[in-house]
Each structure stands twice: as structure tokens, then as C-alpha cells.
Amino acid sequence: MSSIDSVLKENRLFPPSDDFRVKANVSGMEGYNALCEQANGDYEGFWANLGRELVSWNKPFTKVLNDSNAPFFKWFEDGKLNISYNCIDRHLDARGDKTAIIFEADDGKSEHVSYRQLHARVCQFANGLKLLGVTKGDRVVVYMPHTVEAVVAMQACARIGAIHSVVFGGFSAGALRDRIQDAQAKIVITANEGFRGGKPVPLKATVDEAVAMEGSESIEKVIVLRRLENSSAAFNDARDVWWHELVEGQPTQCEPEWVDAEHPLFILYTSGSTGKPKGIQHSTGGYLLGALTTMKWVFDYREGDIYWCTADVGWITGHSYVAYGPLAIGATQVVFEGVPTFPDAGRFWQMIEKHKVTTFYTAPTAIRSLIKLGGDLPKQYDLSSLRLLGTVGEPINPEAWIWYHEVVGGGRCPIVDTWWQTETGANMIAPLPGAVATKPGSCTLPIPGIIADIVDEAGAPVEPGKGGFLVVRKPWPSMVRTIWNDPERFKKTYFPEDFNGQLYLAGDSAHFDENGYIWIMGRVDDVLNVSGHRLGTMEIESALVANPLVAEAAVVGKPHEIKGESVCAFVVLKGARPEGDDAKRIAKELREWVAHEIGKIAMPDEIRFGDNLPKTRSGKIMRRLLRDIAKGQEITQDTSTLENPAILEQLAKSAI
Ligand code: ATP
Ligand code: MG
């Protein structure tokens, strides 16, 4: 491919304050560069030292990286450990009474769980799983509300060496069945109901439906948490087991199963933004090390922090930065069951005030929707406890970044824009907040030890300002080990022959700026080709979002006789969706705005307004569906991970 043109210019620079820098775990660019030099000098030694320093091993490793069967890499393969031991037991002496989890339910009630209490709950549940015949290597599907028990379920699986596969509690029976079948799971752990936005979510009913479907025959037992006293959910005595009955009388001790570092910890299916979800298989040792190094460097973890990652455990972010990372480092973290808009759009800010959150990590989609619903709301709360903000999931548009920085962070908190994927296991490209000056919209520099690069189709480096394929040149400890059941797809997708099987291909396009900062431009699948110029989606969308009227935008290409492709933009305004002449007038204004902001080449030929955009359940815009709509075609692609299918119909009729 020819390279991708970059049209967005964003030069605002935000260095860390002196105070932040001095106290940070990695202090100043000297600190960052020193780590990078260590990694460059002795790559394996660098990771081996971190592995010894941060992870507690039952049997220390002597081998570091095994690349003899590339790209099926192994890390620390002769070491033995247990991740639940690392997350809980090793803290008990020094921090047994420290709060591990502050749980806040959808209805606002909260509960504090200490490390000692968490240990007892995990052990009892792990003993219960054993009683049901679950052993090392068995697959267990977790389909739970985002509660303490979800974390307990994952930790308990890990404690006995069972492989969990968490399925987001909003997925349909069909999507759940597909994952049960692919993983050949023995057990489903669920709750009779979940709660989101004041309404019960009938989790058990969905499990019943999924387990009754063809393909779910592997399921032997369903464990049911009684989240709601009076639920109409059915209970099948032969198959279902109440959580509280299972753990009753179980010992509060359970010897961890010491597993090899390469033992699979979990399978997690990707969001499905670009196609059929992939069953990403992660290891135990390398994965844990990725979570720990990034907790320390990217989230700059310090004793006393109150950490809050808003992601559901159904996503990779909820694995690495809820279920494992914060516990492994001994933090106190908030786990929130509900949604950001219930009872109103001030919920996040109110909770930050209430729990004195220091470190807050959320997604651009949440930020954009909260700006739309109440850009001034944060000002009503005391957010002075915050010291660090983070984002993940999509590129954050510079205007949303500035709002987050000023209105939420009071201009005082660094923002870590963390680029990573289900496949990478941990943050990969992100500013270390006491070292790297940030720029709105850029995820900045790779984390030390991560050898990220941007190359053209021949695998050659691209010059600054030119877009290309984002790749990683060396294997890293927390990387995906394979796609469950599909090693061929693993090779083809991530280590394609186009690059001689040598580079990890992320599937995103990106460019370097003149300071060597990385800018994600969008998915490779979504790149537009307008009059010979290849354009990423992010820059045009960011230009649109910078207009005061616009809340969200998604841009796709539409076949065009002369230009090859024309730009079609789907736009959500902060106010009501315009119609008729209003829509025409605003569309014209926005087209001119884009032409003025980034140039005529990026000017949308067509603008369509909607109340919302099609998104995955984790809040990512699904442009592949919008492409069909722009072309006026029927949608025949996989929509099983779509959050709001009804929006497709509205957008299909939205041409003005
Ligand atoms: P699928 O692979 O099935 O299409 P997905 O890629 O949406 O699903 P995830 O692994 O949840 O599934 O998402 C990873 C992707 O999210 C990245 O490849 C990138 O496109 C996007 N992303 C995540 N964080 C950032 C970020 N900070 N900046 C830009 N993009 C990001
Ligand atoms: Mg992906």
C-alpha cells in the first residue's frame, strides 16, 4: 500500500508538573530513556530482571524467552507460579486488612472488601469449584454482573488452574453459546440477575437459553449467584447450583495450584470491531508481568492510591486493570456495577468524590457521551483527589482530551492515553506520566521494553508524518499465545507472511510526528482512499468533534467514480438530531469546517445525522457496518457484538 496521509495538526504539549515528576516511579525523560536503554542493551535480561522483581515465583525460572517455535513464543517457561497467590496471598502479611475492593452497586450501596476477606472468599469458591469436579485446564465461562463475585470467580479459577473465559453480561444467548462451544466449557458462572441503570438484567434466563442451544453440550453445571432475592429466573435442580450453597462450610484456605508460566490463564474474545471475534489465549507468568509493570509505570502506582478502572471484566481492560493488575500490585480499587449515566450523568464524578479516587481510567466513548450529557457536571463535585487520568479503547479526539484534562483533571492531572489490544495483554504505547510530556490525541511513546514501529507494506520504516502499519518488532511477555483452537488464524492475522512472519501486526494504522510520538489513525481496515490520498478515520473524526455542535463522529469511505472513494461522515450532535433544512444547513457548515480545519481533501461529501452510532458493547464505533449503510446496502456482516442494533435502521434512512 502507499502510505497514509496525515492531515491533523495538533501541537499542544503538556509536560508533567515538577511535583508529579519528582514523585513518579519513572521520573523524567532520563528515567524513561534509562529503561529503554536497558531493554535495548539486553532485551531478555531486562524482562528477566522485572520478572524476578515484580512476580512471586513458587519455582524461579531459568529460561527467559523461547523463540524456537516462533511465532508461538514462550516466556519464563520453566518457572512456576500462581496468579491468585500473587494477587492476594502475598499481600496478607503486610496488607491483610487493607481494602482491596471498594464495590459500589448500581443502586449506590457500597461495600469494602479487605485482602484477607477477598482471600477467604476466593478460597471458598475455589474449593466449591473443585467439589464440582473442575480441575486444572478446564474451561469455565464467567457471565456475571460487574461485582466482587465476578473478580472472585476469575481469581478462583486461576487459583486452581482452570481457564476462565469471561463473556460480557450484555451479550445475547447466541453470542454466549458461540463462546461456550468454542472453548468447550464445563461450567458457566452467572447470577440470577444483574443490574444496570436501575434495571435488572436477566443473566440467568440468557444462560438457560444459551445452554439449551445446540453446541453447548459441554456444560455440566451452572453456578448461580443470588444477586436479587426475588427473581423469576428458573432453577434447574439437576444442573444449577447456588453460589451461596456451594461455598457454605467450605474452608477459607485453598492451596494454590502451582502452574507453569505458560499455563493458559484465560481465553477472551476480542470486541469484534473488525469481524468475527477471536479467542485470544493468554499465559500466566508473562501476562502477570505485563499487568504489573504497567500498573507501576503507566499508572504510577503508589501506596495510598485509590484506583478506578471503569471497564467491565468482560473486556481485556477489566482483566488486566480490574481483576489482576491492581490486586497484584496491592492497590485499593473501586469496582462499579452500574453505568455512567445512572441515576444521572454525574455518577462518575460523584463516585470519584465519594471514594476519593486518585487514578481514573475510562474510555473515550464514555468521555464523549458525558460531554454531550453534561459538560459542566464535573464542576459540581470535588474532584481534587484525582492525580492521574487514563483512556483506552479508541483514539481520543483532541477536543475530548482537552475537556477531560481541564474539566475533570482540573488542568493538574496527566492523561495516559494507553494504546493496547486484547492481544497485547497490557498497555503498550502510553506516556509514563512523570516522564513523557503528553499531546492531546497521541498515545506518545512505547513503554520501555516494547519495540513498536510503523512500517510500509514492504516492512520498511516510514518517515514522520506518513502513516503506515503499526507493528511490534520483538515478542513481549504479555502477548497473546495463540487463538484458541485456531493457530493458523493466529499466524495469518498477527504474523503474516507479508512481513516474513517476523513482525507482530496490530491491524491499526499510525504515524510518527517529528518528536517520534505515535498517533493512531484508525483501523487498517477502515483507511479511506480519496483521490489517491489514503486517509485514516481518526483525523477527520477529530476535526468534526472539534466543532462545538458535534458530540461524536464516524467517517467511512463510499465508492466514487472519480475520486475512488468519497468521505461519508455520520455525526451525532450535542443537541437534538437535526432534520430537513436544519440538517442541510448544519451539514454544509460542518463540511466547510473540515475543509478549513484540515483541508479540502478530507471534506465529507456526505454528512448524515443520527441519535447515536453503531458501537460494540465495549463502546467502539463499528465503521464496517457504516460502510454498508453509506453504500445503501443491506448489512450482512456479523452484528452479534453490537450494542444498539436499532440505530442501523435510523442511519440507513438518514441521507439528507
Ligand atoms: P476485533 O479485533 O475483533 O476487531 P477490537 O480490535 O475492537 O476487536 P480490542 O482488542 O478490544 O478489540 O480493541 C483493540 C483496539 O482498540 C486497538 O487495535 C485499537 O484499534 C483500539 N485502541 C485501543 N486503545 C486505543 C488508544 N489508546 N488509541 C487508539 N486506539 C486504541
Ligand atoms: Mg482487534
Side-chain angles (χ1 to χ4, degrees), residues 270-274 278 421-423 494 506 508 523:
T270 55
S271 308
S273 306
T274 56
K278 305 173 271 284
Q421 309 176 292
T422 309
E423 296 87 341
Y494 305 114
D508 288 342
R523 310 291 184 129

Side-chain angles (χ1 to χ4, degrees), residues 31-181:
Y32 172 81
N33 288 329
L35 288 168
C36 293
E37 271 161 36
Q38 282 171 30
N40 287 337
D42 174 10
Y43 189 70
E44 288 188 34
F46 170 82
W47 283 115
N49 285 339
L50 286 166
R52 288 188 196 102
E53 178 196 326
L54 297 174
V55 174
S56 302
W57 299 89
N58 179 253
K59 174 174 172 275
F61 59 88
T62 63
K63 297 183 191 155
V64 186
L65 169 64
N66 177 345
D67 57 4
S68 61
N69 186 26
F72 301 94
F73 299 100
K74 293 179 177 172
W75 283 89
F76 316 120
E77 60 182 307
D78 61 343
K80 280 189 184 285
L81 76 163
N82 182 283
I83 196 167
S84 168
Y85 175 89
N86 272 269
C87 290
I88 308 174
D89 306 46
R90 68 166 167 170
H91 304 309
L92 292 179
D93 283 346
R95 304 192 183 98
D97 295 322
K98 177 176 174 172
T99 299
I101 295 176
I102 302 171
F103 172 63
E104 179 156 325
D106 187 59
D107 67 6
K109 291 207 184 82
S110 48
E111 170 195 4
H112 286 232
V113 181
S114 69
Y115 274 92
R116 203 178 313 287
Q117 290 165 332
L118 185 64
H119 178 258
R121 286 166 74 165
V122 169
C123 286
Q124 286 190 306
F125 193 68
N127 286 326
L129 288 174
K130 282 197 205 169
L131 200 71
L132 297 181
V134 180
T135 56
K136 184 176 156 188
D138 284 346
R139 273 81 60 209
V140 174
V141 164
V142 176
Y143 185 73
M144 293 278 284
H146 193 63
T147 51
V148 178
E149 286 82 3
V151 176
V152 168
M154 294 163 78
Q155 286 281 343
C157 287
R159 197 165 184 91
I160 63 173
I163 303 169
H164 59 68
S165 180
V166 183
V167 178
F168 174 61
F171 277 145
S172 66
L176 179 58
R177 187 273 318 266
D178 292 348
R179 288 158 180 73
I180 289 172
Q181 185 175 22

Side-chain angles (χ1 to χ4, degrees), residues 269-278 280 315-317 361 364 391-396 416-424 429 441-443 470 489 494 504 506-509 519-523 525 538 616 618 620-621 624 641:
Y269 293 82
T270 55
S271 308
S273 306
T274 56
K276 186 172 173 281
K278 305 173 271 284
I280 299 302
W315 314 119
I316 188 65
T317 309
Y361 189 32
T391 74
V392 57
E394 287 183 296
I396 179 164
V416 290
D417 174 352
T418 60
W419 178 87
W420 61 299
Q421 309 176 292
T422 309
E423 296 87 341
T424 67
I429 308 173
S442 168
C443 52
L470 181 62
R489 189 177 180 201
Y494 305 114
Y504 171 83
D508 288 342
S509 58
W519 296 75
I520 305 295
M521 300 169 76
R523 310 291 184 129
D525 297 16
M538 190 268 183
T616 64
S618 54
K620 295 174 204 274
I621 299 169
R624 62 182 167 92
T641 65

